[in-house]
Amino acid sequence: MRQVVFIGVLAASVVTAPSAMAAPAEADFTLGANVDAFCRIQAPDERVSEDGAIGLVAEVCNMPGGYQVRASFTNLAQGVVLAGTERAALDETGSATFTADGPRRLQRHWSVQAFRQRDRLQPVLVHLSVMPL
């Protein structure tokens, strides 16, 4: 009786082994990550040149809902701010706002056109800020 049991166990293991090896192993899984909000804007200088050039500005923001860039000027009474192909007129506070509807990373030339200084003897300064939406 011992031999029969031993042979039966051996036969069962031989029959199941090839089918387990023949099937490739497959698995599905989802990988997720949480990334902190990150927004930054950099300009070469805060001083606007006499011809209105601000320079090459780099902006990056990873917010899926978008973000706003605000350019606040001192010593400007009026003007139109160009950021690449986008345009925004100065508001009554001396600021212009640009809105992005999603995350992006870009560099573009900024300038001010059709501007009038409050005091021609003082420089025009710009402060750029970025805020997630």
Side-chain angles (χ1 to χ4, degrees), residues 39-41 59-61 67-70 128-132:
C39 295
R40 181 176 63 195
I41 189 159
E59 64 187 72
V60 61
C61 191
Y67 62 97
Q68 283 188 334
V69 173
R70 186 171 181 87
L128 300 175
S129 60
V130 60
M131 182 179 73

Side-chain angles (χ1 to χ4, degrees), residues 18-65:
S19 63
M21 291 181 138
E26 291 186 26
D28 290 330
F29 62 93
T30 302
L31 180 63
N34 291 326
V35 178
D36 290 335
F38 179 79
C39 295
R40 181 176 63 195
I41 189 159
Q42 292 179 311
D45 193 5
E46 66 178 14
R47 191 177 191 130
V48 178
S49 71
E50 290 182 13
D51 66 351
I54 296 169
L56 187 63
V57 175
E59 64 187 72
V60 61
C61 191
N62 67 354
M63 297 302 295

